[in-house]
Amino acid sequence: MELERISVVLRPRVTREAIDLGAAMLRANARAVWSAWFAFTLPVFVLCNAVGLLLDLPWLGWVLVWWLKPLFDRVPLYVLSRAVFDRPPRWRETLRGQAQWSWRSTIAGLTWLRIDSNRALRLPLDLLEGATRQQRSARWKVLRRRIVGDVSLLTYGCLQFELVVFLSFWLFALLLIPHEWQPESLAQVIRGDMPGIRPLWIVLGAGVAYLAMSAIEPLYVACGFALYLNRRTQLEAWDIDLAFRRMRTRIEALGKLLGVVLLCAGLLPALHAQTPAPPTGKVVTSSVDKIFGAPASASEQRFADSAAPVYRDPRFGGEHTVRSWQLKHPWKSGPQQTSPQFPALGLWLSAIFKGLLWLLLAGVLVTLGWFAWRWRGRWLGEPEAPAVASSSSLLPSESDELPLPDDLAQATRALWQSQHRREALALLYRGCVEHTTQLLQLPPSKDATEADWLRRADGMADTVRAQRVIAIVRTWQFAAYAGRYPDDATIEQLLQGWPAQPGAIA
């Protein structure tokens, strides 16, 4: 590896600082990364969704694009691994460079390692080092040490960010949709017939998921690559290696300068001599080979030969963990230790508190089970048993089976004057719905909502009757959902003419 050409400041960093370094690397090479990303992943996305539509399985494209993430991760890693040496490739070069890397690790990432939470750290090890399987296994045990938890948190954090971006788009789109055009409720969407959803909406959801993945996945790969560089810097002391290399360069330049100075000093007496004479002294030159006593090219071999016995020493490379209990705030300083005066009391108290905690846990589990049994019907979408409705509380959904009174206006007025305002408006709303259905010659429908009747009223040819239907529906909505009831004068206006009086002219 050409460490002299690396553009990243190599030094040991903490995990969070290394993740910030990955985000900075991605920002510096954003154009190269995302141009190659879309050039590689967009055709695959279109192909996967086309296959899903041809097989009449629209959700298949969504699943395939998510499953191929380890394949897509090769693209940003290729760009960033070249960009750290001040050579960010173009997207055509990135696509051609995928053939240079082995596909075995990618096949493993798409099969038995697909749900590996350490994929961001494993990817540079498999693709950049090019080691054998045994060497990769040994290096992975060392590389993942102490940071495996942080890499897993990075995976789950990026997955949550991707989910947030996906849901934010739909929530923002939902805010822009008028209330009359919104679906009846999320519960009906969740409990509804999922195969009945149009394939166009599934493909649109897959597109939004693809854009969310395109925004977060390169960041995930960049942070994993930065953790890989930081871990190798900690293990192999790259920062010290670079310092020694810079020192060697300075010594080489100083040796050349010293040789020139000594050569000039040796020739100076000869220039001042009266008669030419052969030089009696030898010109002393200095170089890196003479300073270190061996050719510079053999330094690495000498270091390896010297380090081999050290590596074979069983005391080298091991980790030892020693655990001991100490008082946080000792009362007496000194090596003497005092035994507790009442050891049995401490044992009894610990057993009592342990039993209380187990009882508390059992109570919580029983309470959760009771709530789950109590609300199982609502979670599973089972219809609840209809309650027995009294004559003074007839809502539209509860009084559909009862016939309308002959004089709708008089029955509504009687309920209103007897302080049953909600029941009166419910009766007027149901009568308006039935008379509007007869007027428009529509089939009876129990699933139509207030928004449906508002849309149907807009399509009525008689504008006066349409305005009456809208007024009655709006009045019922304000009363049923907001608790805002009209005054007596407004009720009298609604009870005049059609539909409260079906035979009257609107």
Side-chain angles (χ1 to χ4, degrees), residues 45 62 65-66 69 162 165-166 169-170 203-215:
F45 168 76
W62 199 331
V65 172
W66 175 81
K69 273 187 177 183
E162 189 173 327
V165 173
F166 175 77
F169 174 84
W170 293 110
V203 174
L204 180 60
V208 176
Y210 167 74
L211 293 177
M213 180 185 68
S214 301

Side-chain angles (χ1 to χ4, degrees), residues 188-211:
Q188 293 186 4
V189 174
I190 296 175
R191 299 174 184 172
D193 188 13
M194 294 302 292
I197 299 178
R198 295 181 180 179
L200 179 61
W201 286 102
I202 299 180
V203 174
L204 180 60
V208 176
Y210 167 74
L211 293 177

Side-chain angles (χ1 to χ4, degrees), residues 351-369:
I352 291 173
F353 282 111
K354 184 177 180 180
L356 291 176
L357 289 177
W358 279 111
L359 290 177
L360 179 62
L361 179 60
V364 170
L365 293 178
V366 171
T367 304
L368 291 177

Side-chain angles (χ1 to χ4, degrees), residues 22-23 25-26 33 37 69-70 72-81 119-121 123-124 127 154 158 216-228:
M25 291 166 52
L26 181 63
V33 170
W37 171 271
K69 273 187 177 183
F72 299 157
D73 292 344
R74 296 166 59 101
V75 175
L77 180 62
Y78 186 91
V79 176
L80 294 174
S81 62
R119 186 177 77 245
L121 186 62
L123 191 67
L127 297 179
L154 173 65
C158 290
I216 303 301
E217 193 66 16
L219 176 64
Y220 173 65
V221 177
C223 294
F225 181 54
L227 288 175
Y228 169 79

